[in-house]
Structure formats: structure tokens, C-alpha cells
Amino acid sequence: MRLEATTIDIGTSRPLVLLNTVDADELGAHPLDRVRIAWDGATTTGIVKRTDELVEAGTVGVTEPLDHVHGDVEVTLAGTPPSVRCVRKKLDDVELERKELERIVRDIHENRLSDVELSAFVSAVYANGLSLAETKNLTEAMSGVGQRLQWDASIVADKHSIGGVAGNCVTPIMVAIVAEAGVTMPKSSSRAVTSPAGTADVMEVVSDVEFSIEEIERIVDETNGCLVWGGGVDLSPVDDEIIRAENPLSIDPEGLLMASVLSKKRSAGSSHVVIDIPYGEGAKVESLVAARELADDFKRVGDYLEMDIHCAITHGTDPIGRGVGPVLEARDVLAVLEGDGPESLRLKSLRLAEMLLEHCGVDASATEILESGRALERFRSIVAAQGGDPDVESADLDPGEESTTIRADRAGIASRVDNRQLSDLARRAGAPRDSGAGLVVHRTVGDEVEAGDRLYTIHAETRAKLEEAMSFADQLEPIRVRSKADALVERR
């Protein structure tokens, strides 16, 4: 069928082909079918969206990924990519071969899978898991797509937390310490998947995070480190597509988690990586046994990829900082670097920094670097190199103006703090999309509480979102207060 191609902006990054219903019926094209478009000796494939209004009969609309298509084109039905059969196999809990996983990765990268098919793959992994062999093969396939960073340094340090703990923004503090110690640490991070703030979201509060590879190389050359968004430089780009499918479902299955982390690290040129695996009630990993098993799997996949992986198994039953959400976590980070801030965030940052320095064979004191103010100065130099204000202070960062404080209705002890509920509540308030949204946590496990004491404060950028979060909070108990006797029974 001959049609006239025109670019249509409908706010999507997917390669959609909009057909008027009349043309779609004549072609026999149904929603989510694929069509092949040929023009001037070139061909491409898109996914069908039928419409009565957006394009007229005789015209085919193409979205931004296909905006190179123009003029008089030939549109024909295309077959289903072979990788869809592989997705069906995974839905049936059949282990996939290397070539099948490579096919899925290639088709995700080339936008051949619809959102439904990509979500089916993510759901299949969530339901049925990945074997260790599948995880190795998927990680290698994902890191083989997109750009790669290469460094002159023989040791390139990196760190990642699997998440699941509110306020766990130790990475900016670690990067400042490790870079100041003379170790190259180009940190690329994802945006939040299931949490109220990823490292990239937090860093974006004080500086830019999207850079080209050349710009990242300049920043690292100037400062020995960086804190950037990995999706801005096409490092393991398939990971970003998978994360996009995980987001609406708020899932992060272990096999995809390992492939996501290690494919990004490999693409970033990292040689020595510390991975933080928090465990406990409300964390992503709930038991010490499961945390150890995950650590072993990370190490095995890392060995396969010739990366030196060291896992830190940490307690994840309490928030690390006091702020939950981009601005509030950035404020905690700066406060720690300034010599103040939440003690739990300071101690965990130091522990992991010491571990990474030792892992890299560097004889330096993380505590001395932090307490001397050298880490703060290094952080400020990274902020400046990334286009931010090097003089920014924690006091300069204000959360959303709409706020309310939840108070204890009884005296007792804070017997449990639920990270998952805190994160869900911060997201309901608008985080991470609204950078000023989130929570400030006033009590932690073991704290004595009087009736009327503050438990946590909700911040939002609009009244509507604050009210939505308040309504949601009525259904939750993220900080549980019990009498001393009841709290003792709970601990047993």
C-alpha cells in the first residue's frame, strides 16, 4: 500500500506507525501488528496504532524514532520477530539458550518488541526467574549493545546498591571519598525503579547528570570521578528499556537486577565493584540466607565477565538517612559531607568506602578524608564540572512546601520501621518525578516515643498530592509504636 509519511508527535519514544482505520482495514493491520515501511531503497519496521483522527486516509504517521521516514512510502504487513517465541518459552518456564537471549536483547534494542511483549518478558522472569547460565548470557548480551567507556587507569572503582532501603544515598559520599583518595570512579547510575529516588535523581538536584561520553571523560579527567545518569550515554541501553517496563509493575526480579547492574558496570569500564545488598523485613532481600545466595550469584556472574566483585551484606530494616526523596536525600548527603547529617548515613558511607578502597588495594583512610573536609571539596569539584553550583550547601535545599507531620498516638517504643511502606508513601507524594516530594523520618527502631511525638513528615509539591499521600498514610503503619513489653515480644 502506497502512503504519504508524516511525523506525528504523540509523546512516545516507541516506533509507532499510525494508520487511519480505513487504510488499516484495507491492509489487514490490527493494533500492535508490525508493518514494514520501504522508501528510497531503505526499510524499517514499526508497531501499528489505528486511529480515526490523528492521520487521514492515505497518510501514515510515524513517531520520533522513525522520523527519518519521509515522502511516498510502501507499507506492508511484517511478521512477528522470532524473539516473541522466546518470550513465550520463558512464560512457560523453559530455560533460554544464549542465542535466544541475544535475540531478545537485539530486538529490544532495535525497538522490535511492543510494550506488551517487553512487559511479558519482564513478567516471565519475575514469575519463573533466570538460571545462573541465563543470567550470565543475558548480562553479556546486554553489555554487548551500546557504547563502552574505556579508561587508562588499571583500576576503575564502582559501587551499586540493589535498593529497597529508604534514604540509602551513600553513593555521592563514597564517590567523593574514593576519588579524593586517587582512585578513578566514574559512577553512572540509573534513575529510580521501585524507590523514591535513585542516585541520578538525587544528584540532579545539585547538577546536571546527562552527558556525552566525551563530556564524561572530561569530567573524570578533571575530578577523578563523576555522578551521571547512565541512560544519557547509551551504556547498556537495553537495561533502560527493561527498567521502563519494570516501573509500572514496581518489580525488579533478581535475574534482571544482576544483569542490569553488571551490564552497566561492564559498559562503564569498571574493574572493581562493591555491591551493597541490604536485607531484612521490608527490604528487597528479606533474609540473610537469601542475601548470601544473591552475593554468591553476583560474584559468579562477575567472575564470568572478568570483573572483580565484592558484596557487602548490610542491614536493611531501617532507613539509612532521614530524608526519602531526591531533594531530601541530597540535603542529607551534603550535611554528611559538611560534617553533620544522619549518623547512620555517615557510618554506612564510611564502611563501604573503606571496603572499596581496600578492595582496590589503596591505603587511605575514608574517615580522615571525610572529617578533614577533603571529600566535601572533591564533591564540590564534581558538582562544578557537571554544571552545578559548587557552593551549594545543605541549608540551600528546600523540599516541597506542602507538608504534614504524622505523630504518635501512644507512648512506647518504635518497634519496626517498614522501608517498603516509607518508599511507597514517598512515591505517592510525588517522588521521584517531583524532586521536592518525599518524607523526613524522625524515629528509628528502638527510639522511645511519647504520645504526640513526630514520627515522619510528608512533603509534596502540590496540595493534591499531599492529600493523596495523607489518605494513603491512613492505610499504613510505616513506623510501628508499641509498648515496651509488646516491643520485647516482637523482638523475640
Side-chain angles (χ1 to χ4, degrees):
M1 175 181 289
R2 304 297 300 186
L3 298 171
E4 185 71 20
T6 183
T7 301
I8 300 289
D9 183 5
I10 57 173
T12 180
S13 61
R14 308 300 290 159
L16 297 184
V17 173
L18 283 70
L19 291 173
N20 186 276
T21 304
V22 173
D23 294 329
D25 286 341
E26 183 179 341
L27 189 62
H30 300 93
L32 301 182
D33 278 351
R34 291 165 182 80
V35 291
R36 182 174 293 106
I37 305 175
W39 80 106
D40 293 340
T43 61
T44 191
T45 302
I47 298 168
V48 170
K49 178 178 177 63
R50 294 165 58 107
T51 178
D52 291 318
E53 300 175 353
L54 294 178
V55 296
E56 298 177 352
T59 301
V60 55
V62 294
T63 54
E64 187 268 335
L66 300 175
D67 61 5
H68 55 286
V69 178
H70 54 82
D72 184 49
V73 301
E74 179 72 23
V75 180
T76 57
L77 286 176
T80 301
S83 62
V84 173
R85 293 195 295 273
C86 304
V87 172
R88 291 197 201 104
K89 284 180 65 175
K90 195 61 201 173
L91 284 166
D92 290 332
D93 199 15
V94 177
E95 185 168 346
L96 299 180
E97 302 292 333
R98 175 194 294 272
K99 288 185 177 179
E100 292 173 318
L101 288 162
E102 289 174 346
R103 190 173 295 136
I104 290 173
V105 167
R106 184 174 62 250
D107 283 350
I108 293 173
H109 181 55
E110 295 176 0
N111 284 317
R112 291 178 183 164
L113 295 187
S114 68
D115 287 346
V116 171
E117 291 156 347
L118 179 56
S119 295
F121 174 63
V122 169
S123 299
V125 175
Y126 177 74
N128 300 319
L130 292 176
S131 69
L132 189 60
E134 285 178 310
T135 303
K136 290 177 179 178
N137 292 331
L138 178 61
T139 306
E140 192 167 34
M142 288 171 60
S143 62
V145 173
Q147 297 174 298
R148 297 280 292 271
L149 289 169
Q150 294 183 330
W151 308 98
D152 293 333
S154 59
I155 293 177
V156 179
D158 211 332
K159 172 267 174 188
H160 185 86
S161 173
I162 68 166
V165 178
N168 190 27
C169 198
V170 303
T171 301
I173 302 169
M174 285 185 64
V175 170
I177 292 171
V178 173
E180 178 62 24
V183 181
T184 300
M185 192 167 180
K187 183 71 179 78
S188 66
S189 303
S190 298
R191 297 191 187 278
V193 180
T194 58
S195 71
T199 300
D201 302 303
V202 173
M203 194 64 188
E204 198 168 32
V205 172
V206 296
S207 75
D208 296 333
V209 295
E210 294 189 37
F211 299 97
S212 67
I213 282 184
E214 294 74 21
E215 289 170 328
I216 290 174
E217 290 172 344
R218 173 189 59 78
I219 293 166
V220 175
D221 185 55
E222 290 178 10
T223 68
N224 224 29
C226 67
L227 287 149
V228 301
W229 176 48
V233 286
D234 204 34
L235 300 178
S236 186
V238 169
D239 177 46
D240 299 305
E241 289 301 307
I242 290 174
I243 287 173
R244 187 178 60 82
E246 290 174 331
N247 260 327
L249 302 171
S250 288
I251 60 175
D252 197 9
E254 281 190 4
L256 292 182
L257 167 68
M258 285 191 285
S260 169
V261 173
L262 295 182
S263 67
K264 276 281 197 277
K265 302 308 173 195
R266 193 183 193 208
S267 296
S270 304
S271 63
H272 292 64
V273 184
V274 164
I275 296 175
D276 174 27
I277 303 178
Y279 78 94
E281 188 178 4
K284 281 186 180 179
V285 180
E286 296 207 341
S287 72
L288 180 58
V289 171
R292 287 173 174 163
E293 290 176 351
L294 182 59
D296 288 343
D297 286 344
F298 263 118
K299 186 73 170 64
R300 292 190 185 101
V301 178
D303 288 345
Y304 175 75
L305 299 172
E306 298 182 342
M307 298 171 64
D308 200 340
I309 304 297
H310 190 81
C311 293
I313 297 175
T314 58
H315 289 288
T317 52
D318 253 356
I320 301 303
R322 287 291 175 260
V324 183
V327 167
L328 292 163
E329 292 184 39
R331 188 168 69 179
D332 279 354
V333 165
L334 275 165
V336 169
L337 289 168
E338 291 163 358
D340 195 6
E343 184 66 5
S344 54
L345 180 61
R346 176 183 175 276
L347 290 176
K348 183 168 184 177
S349 300
L350 285 172
R351 178 191 171 192
L352 293 179
E354 292 280 9
M355 185 179 294
L356 184 53
L357 289 172
E358 181 180 352
H359 188 46
C360 294
V362 176
D363 183 16
S365 168
T367 301
E368 187 278 327
I369 292 172
L370 179 64
E371 292 181 351
S372 66
R374 291 163 54 201
L376 175 60
E377 291 308 307
R378 178 66 60 168
F379 181 76
R380 292 190 187 285
S381 70
I382 293 172
V383 168
Q386 293 186 194
D389 178 6
D391 297 322
V392 64
E393 298 180 353
S394 58
D396 299 330
L397 304 181
D398 295 320
E401 292 183 356
E402 299 292 341
S403 67
T404 189
T405 296
I406 308 301
R407 298 179 181 275
D409 59 5
R410 73 189 81 173
I413 292 177
S415 63
R416 177 173 181 258
V417 178
D418 191 313
N419 277 298
R420 186 170 292 128
Q421 289 191 19
L422 289 173
S423 294
D424 289 346
L425 187 52
R427 289 174 69 92
R428 190 63 65 96
R433 184 178 294 275
D434 296 343
S435 63
L439 309 177
V440 176
V441 181
H442 302 297
R443 292 290 182 270
T444 189
V445 172
D447 286 352
E448 292 193 8
V449 178
E450 297 295 333
D453 281 354
R454 299 179 303 167
L455 297 179
Y456 60 93
T457 298
I458 306 172
H459 288 273
E461 293 187 359
T462 67
R463 187 67 194 176
K465 288 189 178 179
L466 177 64
E467 290 176 354
E468 184 179 345
M470 290 168 61
S471 176
F472 188 51
D474 289 340
Q475 307 168 39
L476 306 176
E477 192 180 25
I479 300 179
R480 181 188 298 161
V481 178
R482 295 291 183 266
S483 68
K484 292 183 178 180
D486 288 344
L488 184 60
V489 170
E490 278 191 4
R491 290 176 188 173
R492 289 175 179 172

